Amino acid sequence: KVGGGFPFALLPQRCFASSPPDTKLYEWRTYHLKPDTVPQYIAMCDETAALRKKLNPALLAFFQVETGGNVNEVRHLYCFDSISHRAEIRAGGAANAEWRDFLKNSLPFVASMKSELFTSSAECHAAAKSVHPQNFQPANDGPGFYEMRSYQLILGYNPVPKLYDAFASGLPAKVAADPTGGQLAFLGASEVGTLNQVVELWRYKSWEDMLTARQAARPVQAWRDTIGTVAPMVQHFDTSALKPWAFSPWQ
């Protein structure tokens, strides 16, 4: 169980000696904005960025979709110790008059909101020579380019662990073949929301680096074997390009 008595089916993880299990709870929030209100919403978020970070230190990243999806969509990622920790932070925001004003004034700009809770795969992060998401440090080369890859797997208890095993086997060769130094920022599966959903988030310096890394991985046999194992389990797969907003901790 995750703190607060909320039962999460934490997925089995093969733990590398240098990477203990990641016990954190991650929340992906997706907001669809009304097209004619995006500039106003951005301005309001910029003005309240310091307050957001003060009230919600769990914020890891704040993105807008650049392409590959609804371009009026923003996605933000938070990291919590537990479900009770999440509740405490949200209660603190609700008690703050300035934050309540922001929510009230920004709500007309938002067409819909979605919240999903994830756990991350320690074994996959270790295989990619990456740390747990809460400790991720983007390369210091200016605002980066993030690629989100989302997999909807078939029903059952085995598909997600099987994908994790396949990725853990293939990621070392994929990363070794990447001449751009792309970084795995997040790889995990849904616990609340659309289940058997796996999200993979990579950071690159540019769109061109992402394409270079993708092309470099295609002839790598270990990675081809990984895709061969995973592909039959995938019902739906999409990828989108994300741009971090100026106040996003991950750049």
Side-chain angles (χ1 to χ4, degrees):
K1 291 185 179 181
V2 178
F6 197 96
F8 280 91
L10 295 177
L11 296 163
Q13 297 184 3
R14 289 184 310 177
C15 300
F16 287 49
S18 60
S19 182
D22 185 354
T23 60
K24 300 293 185 179
L25 183 65
Y26 297 90
E27 180 179 14
W28 278 103
R29 298 183 69 88
T30 303
Y31 294 176
H32 289 154
L33 305 180
K34 298 174 183 177
D36 59 345
T37 67
V38 174
Q40 298 99 306
Y41 188 81
I42 293 175
M44 290 187 66
C45 287
D46 284 341
E47 291 169 2
T48 56
L51 177 64
R52 180 191 297 270
K53 291 180 179 179
K54 177 182 177 181
L55 294 174
N56 198 340
L59 176 68
L60 295 181
F62 204 106
F63 302 111
Q64 182 175 359
V65 175
E66 185 76 10
T67 187
N70 184 337
V71 295
N72 301 310
E73 182 177 287
V74 294
R75 301 175 187 172
H76 21 137
L77 175 63
Y78 300 88
C79 174
F80 301 103
D81 295 334
S82 64
I83 197 71
S84 58
H85 179 219
R86 176 180 181 271
E88 290 168 8
I89 288 181
R90 290 177 63 81
N96 184 279
E98 188 178 354
W99 187 248
R100 291 199 304 270
D101 286 343
F102 164 76
L103 295 178
K104 177 182 177 180
N105 295 331
S106 64
L107 188 60
F109 302 154
V110 181
S112 67
M113 299 179 178
K114 179 171 70 172
S115 167
E116 296 178 295
L117 300 180
F118 283 71
T119 51
S120 79
S121 169
E123 63 172 324
C124 291
H125 279 270
K129 298 184 178 180
S130 180
V131 296
H132 295 168
Q134 75 268 21
N135 298 320
F136 178 69
Q137 293 293 327
N140 187 22
D141 55 8
F145 172 92
Y146 286 80
E147 182 192 19
M148 176 179 276
R149 303 168 69 86
S150 301
Y151 307 81
Q152 181 57 54
L153 305 183
I154 59 177
L155 294 177
Y157 291 114
N158 295 326
V160 172
K162 189 174 179 180
L163 179 144
Y164 282 175
D165 283 345
F167 269 53
S169 296
L171 277 169
K174 178 184 187 295
V175 170
D178 178 6
T180 73
Q183 298 173 278
L184 178 63
F186 181 88
L187 198 157
S190 55
E191 295 287 350
V192 173
T194 303
L195 295 180
N196 279 19
Q197 178 186 181
V198 172
V199 166
E200 181 186 7
L201 183 70
W202 290 85
R203 184 197 183 275
Y204 301 95
K205 184 177 181 180
S206 65
W207 168 272
E208 291 77 15
D209 279 4
M210 183 273 289
L211 293 177
T212 297
R214 184 182 294 179
Q215 292 164 1
R218 285 173 178 164
V220 176
Q221 188 58 51
W223 187 243
R224 294 177 69 89
D225 291 344
T226 291
I227 299 304
T229 298
V230 170
M233 301 187 297
V234 178
Q235 292 180 325
H236 177 73
F237 168 64
D238 65 56
T239 178
S240 53
L242 308 182
K243 176 177 67 176
W245 280 7
F247 64 84
S248 173
W250 289 0
Q251 288 290 315

